[in-house]
Amino acid sequence: MKLEQYRTMWGNLDCTDGVLARSPYHEFDELIPVLKDLGYDGIEIPLKVLLYIGYEKVISMLKDHGLKCTVMVFTDNVVCPGEGVLWGGPYETMKPDGTLSGELYTKPCAGGEQDRQTLVETHLQVWKECVEQTYILKRVHGLPLTLMVSHTLKDYFTSEMAEQFF
């Protein structure tokens, strides 16, 4: 068994606070060959960043350099593909055959949402879409996915809300 090493994109690209982290690399296509040369097996990348960079470019560069990826999915805030502000968006979803659907990702709940049922249902819908869309990228478009990391719910969710979600 070999321990695989993946490098997160957080703090390594200008679009993911690389400037603040003083990363010597600014763009995805600059960084990927360097990570391969350093011996990494793959990258960790938020789904929304993957869409922002362009899934075709990400998949092509990973395959060209023999790298794999872990995709991070979120169910809240501006890091969700259904929200604008950071890293473009809202983004269009794909049909199961990998073509664009004409529909946008579900928008996460607005800050301060108080209705518990709405919170749980929206988080669940956002999560399902992100998981389904990531697997379409793998199955149809060849994303070299090894793992999906899920950042779901909120810390303040009650046990009942978490139970309903899970």
Side-chain angles (χ1 to χ4, degrees):
M1 180 169 86
K2 177 186 180 244
L3 175 66
E4 292 187 338
Q5 295 192 43
Y6 287 66
R7 179 70 181 192
T8 186
M9 294 296 95
W10 293 112
N12 282 290
L13 304 171
D14 285 357
C15 68
T16 60
D17 290 336
V19 173
L20 296 174
R22 296 190 177 114
S23 173
Y25 307 100
H26 303 282
E27 300 299 327
F28 188 77
D29 33 355
E30 287 179 276
L31 180 61
I32 293 303
V34 173
L35 294 180
K36 179 61 178 180
D37 290 345
L38 289 171
Y40 283 95
D41 296 291
I43 64 168
E44 177 188 62
I45 187 169
L47 176 59
K48 192 171 181 187
V49 173
L50 190 151
L51 297 171
Y52 176 73
I53 293 170
Y55 73 84
E56 299 96 342
K57 179 178 183 175
V58 171
I59 292 169
S60 173
M61 291 209 64
L62 291 175
K63 285 183 171 183
D64 288 351
H65 292 89
L67 295 171
K68 302 175 231 175
C69 73
T70 295
V71 172
M72 302 164 69
V73 298
F74 298 87
T75 63
D76 193 51
N77 216 313
V78 298
V79 292
C80 295
E83 184 62 83
V85 184
L86 181 66
W87 306 320
Y91 288 98
E92 190 175 347
T93 62
M94 287 181 264
K95 297 177 193 175
D97 68 1
T99 60
L100 292 176
S101 69
E103 297 178 17
L104 298 177
Y105 278 84
T106 298
K107 187 175 180 65
C109 287
E113 175 63 59
Q114 297 294 310
D115 183 75
R116 290 179 177 188
Q117 189 65 33
T118 299
L119 282 165
V120 171
E121 288 174 1
T122 304
H123 277 263
L124 186 57
Q125 178 62 31
V126 170
W127 179 79
K128 283 180 178 179
E129 276 178 0
C130 288
V131 169
E132 289 169 358
Q133 294 296 301
T134 300
Y135 279 110
I136 290 171
L137 287 170
K138 175 184 171 71
R139 190 184 72 254
V140 177
H141 297 287
L143 180 69
L145 180 70
T146 57
L147 182 70
M148 198 175 309
V149 176
S150 178
H151 294 267
T152 51
L153 306 180
K154 292 286 230 176
D155 292 343
Y156 63 79
F157 272 29
T158 64
S159 296
E160 292 80 20
M161 292 168 76
E163 184 177 312
Q164 185 180 355
F165 179 87
F166 292 106

